Amino acid sequence: MKNETDIIRGEIFCGSRNVLTVRAETEDGLKELECRIKGKVLKSCENFYNPLAPGDCVNIEYNKKSGTAQIISVEKRNNIFSRYNQKEGLSQLLAVNVDMVLCLCTPLSPPFRPRFVDRVLLQADIAGIKALVICNKIDLENDDIDVYERLEEYKNIGYKVLFLSAKTGEGLDDLRRETEGKTSVLTGQSGVGKSSLLNALQPGLNIREGSLNEKYDRGVHTTTMSFMVELPGKTRYIDTPGVRLFIPDGIKAQQLIYHMKEFTPLAGKCSFGLSCSHRTEPGCKIMEAVAAGVIHEDRYESFLRIYDDLKGNISDY
């Protein structure tokens, strides 16, 4: 009797905790298969809220006759981009095996939130992934010089910042050059225009776009799960659900100083060494750097709030 089952390799493009879409090469060509996980958990995924994410390479048991498939194992990952899921008390995977993190923000509508950007950049550093700051909606009039001062500060500490408009197309070619041939994960608050940006980069995708809640000037969630889109030239983007609260994942409070670029050179140099809280102690090199303008006051405030979050005292930034 002919064997009706094959073990084949595939890559996850989208899905929730229980049902995932896997793109795999079968005897009949490339297919997108709806898969469930065989068994209750996958080895090495026990400590995650969701065991798999777009970008994961998996092995699946594929029934050629019925067309059904089950995920039986996940391959070793190059990196993971995650956040801490406060409700579940577990790491939440957003994307896997990526080359770049694209942190989207806007100067206006929704309001610019540099502390959110700080957290995304921190998570990229924890994961060892290059990060890029993208300021979308530059077509909107905005005279708040503080926004551009903070964006300039990201340049000063070593991040590239792109200014663009998904609506008018300005700056899109710069983004295309930065991401060509790479897998990039898009993250940002609801309403910053992640879906709009993808539709502008590749007309015809027809990804549903959200709107703003006029009362609170916040985005309305339209993306409910991470998903990957592939553009010509092997350029791929993973869109992630918009979030309001981004709690860093994968480090302890004492390790924070090693993952914020301008803070790292001062690690251990305070009078109280690594036990310094950087709040009140005399001889604190971090506070001295803030007073001297070497570290931006807002970045320092972010540092303190993230430290408290990692200690379990979750703040609403």
Side-chain angles (χ1 to χ4, degrees):
M1 182 177 179
K2 188 177 178 181
N3 187 4
E4 295 179 348
T5 302
D6 278 344
I7 304 299
I8 58 177
R9 183 177 181 271
E11 184 178 19
I12 292 177
F13 266 62
C14 68
S16 62
R17 293 177 66 187
N18 301 317
V19 182
L20 302 115
T21 300
V22 178
R23 187 171 292 181
E25 191 70 46
T26 71
E27 289 182 352
D28 300 320
L30 189 65
K31 288 188 175 183
E32 289 191 356
L33 304 172
E34 184 179 283
C35 300
R36 285 175 167 76
I37 298 171
K38 188 172 184 177
K40 292 185 177 180
V41 294
L42 291 172
K43 189 177 180 181
S44 79
C45 297
E46 298 91 343
N47 296 322
F48 292 101
Y49 167 68
N50 52 324
L52 298 167
D56 258 322
C57 294
V58 295
N59 294 301
I60 61 177
E61 190 177 82
Y62 174 59
N63 188 301
K64 293 175 282 187
K65 184 177 180 179
S66 65
T68 58
Q70 290 184 306
I71 297 169
I72 57 175
S73 65
V74 57
E75 296 186 0
K76 185 178 179 180
R77 295 157 171 157
N78 295 324
N79 55 49
I80 64 171
F81 185 70
S82 61
R83 71 181 183 105
Y84 181 71
N85 186 308
Q86 181 188 3
K87 182 178 179 180
E88 301 294 333
L90 293 168
S91 299
Q92 180 174 352
L93 294 174
L94 298 175
V96 175
N97 298 328
V98 299
D99 301 303
M100 189 178 296
V101 173
L102 308 179
C103 180
L104 264 70
C105 60
T106 62
L108 182 71
S109 190
F112 179 61
R113 293 177 69 199
R115 288 174 189 152
F116 183 96
V117 177
D118 290 338
R119 289 159 182 260
V120 173
L121 297 180
L122 168 63
Q123 192 63 50
D125 193 87
I126 293 169
I129 306 170
K130 180 181 177 181
L132 182 67
V133 179
I134 299 175
C135 183
N136 188 23
K137 301 187 183 181
I138 59 170
D139 53 288
L140 299 178
E141 290 187 13
N142 179 48
D143 57 3
D144 187 349
I145 60 173
D146 289 340
V147 171
Y148 297 98
E149 178 199 338
R150 287 293 278 110
L151 289 169
E152 191 64 31
E153 181 63 21
Y154 291 124
K155 293 182 183 180
N156 293 339
I157 59 180
Y159 292 103
K160 181 168 282 191
V161 180
L162 296 184
F163 296 87
L164 55 81
S165 168
K167 183 177 181 179
T168 67
E170 183 179 353
L172 289 185
D173 285 342
D174 293 332
L175 179 59
R176 289 189 179 100
R177 281 190 289 270
E178 290 290 334
T179 58
E180 185 178 6
K182 299 174 182 175
T183 299
S184 303
V185 54
L186 287 161
T187 188
Q189 302 167 249
S190 297
V192 295
K194 298 187 299 300
S195 299
S196 302
L197 179 58
L198 291 176
N199 284 331
L201 287 168
Q202 184 63 42
L205 286 177
N206 298 320
I207 299 170
R208 189 162 67 97
E209 299 176 12
S211 58
L212 287 177
N213 181 314
E214 294 182 4
K215 181 177 180 180
Y216 298 105
D217 204 12
R218 291 176 177 171
V220 178
H221 293 288
T222 53
T223 303
T224 58
M225 65 182 75
S226 296
F227 65 91
M228 182 188 293
V229 295
E230 189 163 11
L231 277 57
K234 296 184 178 179
T235 300
R236 310 192 307 175
Y237 297 95
I238 298 175
D239 192 8
T240 63
V243 295
R244 187 178 65 84
L245 188 64
F246 194 108
I247 304 173
D249 178 51
I251 61 168
K252 298 184 183 299
Q254 292 78 7
Q255 298 170 302
L256 173 61
I257 196 169
Y258 296 107
H259 294 282
M260 294 184 73
K261 288 181 181 291
E262 71 274 44
F263 289 75
T264 301
L266 302 175
K269 295 184 177 180
C270 301
S271 296
F272 288 82
L274 293 175
S275 62
C276 185
S277 71
H278 312 297
R279 296 175 189 266
T280 58
E281 296 88 344
C284 172
K285 297 301 178 184
I286 297 296
M287 290 193 293
E288 289 177 7
V290 175
V294 175
I295 292 177
H296 196 284
E297 290 182 1
D298 277 357
R299 285 279 288 178
Y300 172 63
E301 184 64 28
S302 274
F303 175 85
L304 297 181
R305 293 193 183 202
I306 295 169
Y307 187 92
D308 287 343
D309 283 0
L310 294 173
K311 281 284 191 180
N313 305 314
I314 306 300
S315 60
D316 186 351
Y317 55 88

